[in-house]
Amino acid sequence: MKTMNCFYYFKEKARSRGHKSAPELRNPINKSENSGTDSGGAVINSTGSEISPRNIIDLYEEKVAKLRAFSFSELRIATNDFSRQFKIGEGGFGCVYKGKIKDVDDHGDHLVVAVKKLNKDGFQGHKQWLAEVQFLGVVEHPNLVKLIGYCAVDGERGIQRLLVYEYMPNQSLEDHLFNKAYPTLPWETRMQIILGAARGLAYLHEELEVQVIFRDFKTSNVLLDEDFQAKLSDFGLAREGPTLGRSHVSTAVVGTYGYAAPDYIETGHLTSKSDVWSFGVVLYEILSGRRSMDRSRPKSEHILLDWVKQFPTDSKKFTSIMDPRLESLYSVNAARKIAKLAESCLVKSSKERPKMSEVVEKLQRIIKTTNDGSPGDTSSSPIENKVGESKKAEKVGATESSRRRLAHLAKLGEQVEGLGRRKFLIMQKAKVAT
């Protein structure tokens, strides 16, 4: 959970004092922010069906009883007084610590959790903390991180805002893609992760009674459980989608440079297709092993989306964009299809981008085709050079066979003494060479 480069930050003073059993929610969306239609006058529905008159607050009030209200002292004990040794991440919200809490069954068992503590001087404040409770208190999906509870205390020592999540032992997708201290993320695992992330977004966009726009989809917000299943986290910037009769939500532009859709940056018009753009960027990060923006590289390679344009998906140069850490252990055919899917997510017109449910279907087909394909499909050589691949495979196979035979002969040669042993090996090597 690295520091998030937001387009803005704000300061908000507390308006009330005293501990609350549950966060008191106020709708952060002004009626004026839901106004407007696109140039074509189109109306975007939340879920593809008739939009519910209820909003996220209504849904939250139904489910708030499922969340645990922790005291500050409980979480301080759980994290050893927020010890640096327990710190596992840091972002715009503040620091995240690993901790242990008593299980709700009270059988003496402990549950490992992640505790996020608001940094009062950080980019994000009470409004983002409230959004996290609001949205994660409502959503429930295998590919979304589970919120266990919260802590909200206004006391003599100031305001304390904390969130308690399920613990994700394999950290984030960002860590595994870009941190060389981590082992290389295999191709199959990358496909599993990105499919899970797509399912999470599709659920938010199309399967809830109220549409949720994530608004900050990026690799650091894709966490990984013990089985490397992806779970979206950090809902501090999430927003409700447009209401009936509206095409978008008008908001201040927030997010992370390199991931935010250009149409959203230019107009402040937020739709679910803004998330689709961000997903397209992450697809290219999955393929290339490069960050969306990386100023440590040559100037022409700073912006990933500009750099990959030099290597069209149907060209022989395409494999130049692939992550060298994969060492050719991937399907070129599948990689091309993933790149084409990314391009469809990155089209200029937001209305022409696919829905996330469509992205999920395409990813499933690509993965199934790859799994059903022949072993030769994992070669990184261009598809057009299949004849050359065959000859190369024969040569490699012959070399490996020769090595195995020599090793076997060497073992037999241990039984031959003196000059006779040397003569024996020389003769056998000559046979292998012929």
Side-chain angles (χ1 to χ4, degrees), residues 406 409-410 413 420-430:
L406 280 172
L409 292 172
R421 176 183 176 185
R422 292 181 59 193
K423 183 176 180 180
F424 176 81
L425 287 175
I426 292 171
M427 291 176 61
Q428 295 302 330
K429 286 181 180 179

Side-chain angles (χ1 to χ4, degrees), residues 107-135:
H107 292 157
D109 296 330
H110 284 79
L111 181 67
V112 179
V113 295
V115 180
K116 186 188 288 189
K117 186 174 185 289
L118 173 64
N119 177 6
K120 299 173 185 177
D121 299 322
F123 289 126
Q124 299 185 49
H126 176 75
K127 185 176 180 180
Q128 276 71 21
W129 177 87
L130 207 55
E132 287 254 38
V133 179
Q134 174 177 293
F135 288 105

Side-chain angles (χ1 to χ4, degrees), residues 44-48 198-215 217 232 239 241 271-277 279 354-357:
I44 299 177
N45 291 335
S46 298
T47 61
R199 285 171 172 159
L201 285 178
Y203 167 80
L204 295 175
H205 292 177
E206 304 171 45
E207 299 174 31
L208 280 166
E209 188 174 341
V210 175
Q211 185 187 59
V212 176
I213 302 173
F214 193 68
R215 200 161 54 153
F217 182 78
L232 305 188
R239 289 295 300 270
T271 72
S272 60
K273 298 301 181 68
S274 303
D275 284 346
V276 175
W277 173 281
F279 188 85
K355 296 191 299 183
M356 282 310 304
S357 58

Side-chain angles (χ1 to χ4, degrees), residues 370-434:
T370 303
N371 292 339
D372 293 344
S374 63
D377 192 38
T378 59
S379 171
S380 64
S381 300
I383 292 175
E384 296 81 4
N385 294 337
K386 285 188 177 180
V387 175
E389 288 178 6
S390 177
K391 291 181 178 180
K392 182 178 178 181
E394 291 175 3
K395 183 178 179 180
V396 171
T399 301
E400 291 295 326
S401 177
S402 297
R403 288 176 181 171
R404 288 194 297 270
R405 289 168 60 194
L406 280 172
H408 178 64
L409 292 172
K411 187 174 182 179
L412 293 175
E414 292 176 359
Q415 302 174 8
V416 183
E417 298 180 354
L419 295 176
R421 176 183 176 185
R422 292 181 59 193
K423 183 176 180 180
F424 176 81
L425 287 175
I426 292 171
M427 291 176 61
Q428 295 302 330
K429 286 181 180 179
K431 291 180 180 180
V432 170
T434 58

